[in-house]
Amino acid sequence: MKSVVRTTPRCSRTALLNGPLGAKIRWFQSETFSLQDSKKSKEIKDGFLQDQNKIDTSDVRRAQEELEHFLLDYQRQKHLSEGDIEDDCLDSEDQQPVSEPDVEDMSPDVKKELPVHIQIAKDVIERCIHLLSHRSLKLRLKVLEVLEMCVIVLQSHENELLPAAHRVWPPLVQRLTNDDPRVVRQAFQTLCILGEKCGNFLRSRVTKDVLPKLSNMLQSHASVSIKAGPLYTHTLAYKLQLTVLQGLGTLCEKLDLAENGLDVVVNAAVPYLSSRQPCKLQEASCRMFIHLMQIDPDAVWLFLNELYCSHSYEPPHASLHPVKLQGMGNPRNEYTDNVSQLLDKL
């Protein structure tokens, strides 16, 4: 059965020569330059130019054969792709086996290779977890600093960050709730970074494991700092109070705490609105309430008006009951200045 060969437009056939001619120029650059330099027609033989330096005829013949094989193979492959040649006409020796794609490479379960810096940070966290309970105070502090940096490195790879946060959580809680004040302070800073990068993943854990104990710590220290003198600002307890008050509002905002967690935080921060507290603790408490306003402004408004309320709210209609707040009618007290300042911002 004769094979049917389709005719190709001349312009297309000419364009197809660009490939093999370009290849020839690359393969035989010295010959091309010598052909351009020669202008004598009597040296033309079989379509190939020979320069005056008498190029070896064997090299020219070899180049001619290679170009001929290239063009014949190109024509055969082109006709095959167009379906113009029957399967019987194909030379079995020219057929190349098609490599099958690797099934393992196409599997969706195969994990991509992690960047070097991500893999290093992941390995460092795994090796630091057991060191959080080491008896050396300096080592525990240093490990917490290293964990904080590793979390920042892993922030762009959530699939690696969240499992690492899960693994480090139990020993981190121990450092937050039952350790030296210096360690608790550093552990809280690490927790703030974790909360910022992990978000809602840590919300229930923080609400259940951390907030009640931090609230108890703040309330117990508030009764001491409210009576303390200027030297109290140099103590570890004061520095821990200040660090927690400065970071707790941002942490709650990042975690978008629910109402039950918000109540615990507000009850812990209210004593620091007193004018009898050190000035920096008052400022930190006010900034924390500003962050809490972003979460639930109505609840914060109600909490503040329970402390002090300088306005009376009349119902818009006589059939409605009058509004009664615990802070209404109270004389000025130690909370008045800070509460009035916060209410003005709502």
Side-chain angles (χ1 to χ4, degrees), residues 18-284:
N18 291 336
L21 288 178
K24 181 182 180 298
I25 293 174
R26 293 193 299 271
W27 295 342
F28 311 106
Q29 291 184 6
S30 60
E31 294 180 17
T32 304
F33 296 147
S34 63
L35 289 173
Q36 292 177 350
D37 295 336
S38 177
K39 298 182 180 179
K40 296 183 179 181
S41 60
K42 61 182 177 179
E43 296 179 352
I44 299 176
K45 184 179 181 180
D46 296 331
F48 288 91
L49 293 178
Q50 297 179 348
D51 60 8
Q52 295 179 353
N53 294 329
K54 297 182 180 179
I55 300 177
D56 190 358
T57 57
S58 62
D59 294 338
V60 175
R61 189 178 300 109
R62 189 182 305 111
Q64 180 182 3
E65 292 176 355
E66 290 180 359
L67 181 58
E68 181 181 0
H69 287 308
F70 178 87
L71 293 175
L72 290 175
D73 183 66
Y74 180 85
Q75 184 183 25
R76 184 168 59 254
Q77 295 295 334
K78 183 177 183 298
H79 291 166
L80 176 62
S81 64
E82 295 177 353
D84 292 338
I85 298 180
E86 298 293 338
D87 295 338
D88 299 343
C89 299
L90 294 177
D91 188 357
S92 60
E93 296 180 356
D94 296 337
Q95 295 182 2
Q96 298 293 335
V98 180
S99 59
E100 294 291 336
D102 192 353
V103 179
E104 296 181 355
D105 295 341
M106 299 177 62
S107 175
D109 298 333
V110 176
K111 292 184 178 180
K112 295 182 179 179
E113 186 176 356
L114 294 175
V116 177
H117 66 288
I118 298 297
Q119 186 63 49
I120 291 175
K122 181 181 176 182
D123 294 340
V124 169
I125 289 180
E126 290 295 328
R127 285 162 174 76
C128 286
I129 289 176
H130 70 282
L131 296 176
L132 283 173
S133 57
H134 197 275
R135 62 182 180 180
S136 172
L137 174 64
K138 292 183 179 179
L139 182 58
R140 295 200 302 275
L141 290 172
K142 182 58 65 177
V143 168
L144 287 169
E145 293 177 3
V146 172
L147 286 176
E148 184 176 334
M149 291 185 291
C150 289
V151 170
I152 296 175
V153 173
L154 291 176
Q155 63 180 330
S156 60
H157 288 69
E158 191 178 68
N159 292 336
E160 307 301 328
L161 174 61
L162 299 186
H166 173 74
R167 292 264 295 137
V168 80
W169 184 254
L172 180 62
V173 172
Q174 291 297 319
R175 305 285 72 78
L176 278 165
T177 58
N178 187 21
D179 211 321
D180 185 274
R182 289 168 288 184
V183 178
V184 175
R185 183 184 177 193
Q186 183 62 50
F188 180 76
Q189 293 175 348
T190 304
L191 173 64
C192 291
I193 297 296
L194 267 176
E196 179 182 353
K197 307 306 179 185
C198 298
N200 296 338
F201 179 75
L202 294 179
R203 180 194 299 165
S204 60
R205 299 170 188 246
V206 172
T207 304
K208 179 181 178 182
D209 301 334
V210 177
L211 289 185
K213 297 179 180 180
L214 285 181
S215 176
N216 293 335
M217 183 272 296
L218 287 174
Q219 289 177 346
S220 62
H221 283 67
S223 60
V224 178
S225 60
I226 200 171
K227 303 175 184 178
L231 294 179
Y232 182 76
T233 58
H234 300 283
T235 63
L236 292 176
Y238 170 81
K239 295 178 181 178
L240 177 59
Q241 287 172 282
L242 184 60
T243 299
V244 174
L245 287 173
Q246 288 176 340
L248 195 56
T250 305
L251 177 63
C252 294
E253 186 176 359
K254 294 294 183 182
L255 298 179
D256 193 16
L257 284 186
E259 184 177 354
N260 54 348
L262 196 64
D263 293 344
V264 174
V265 175
V266 169
N267 290 328
V270 162
Y272 293 93
L273 293 177
S274 171
S275 58
R276 298 164 57 192
Q277 292 283 354
C279 293
K280 287 189 176 181
L281 296 183
Q282 295 182 49
E283 294 174 0

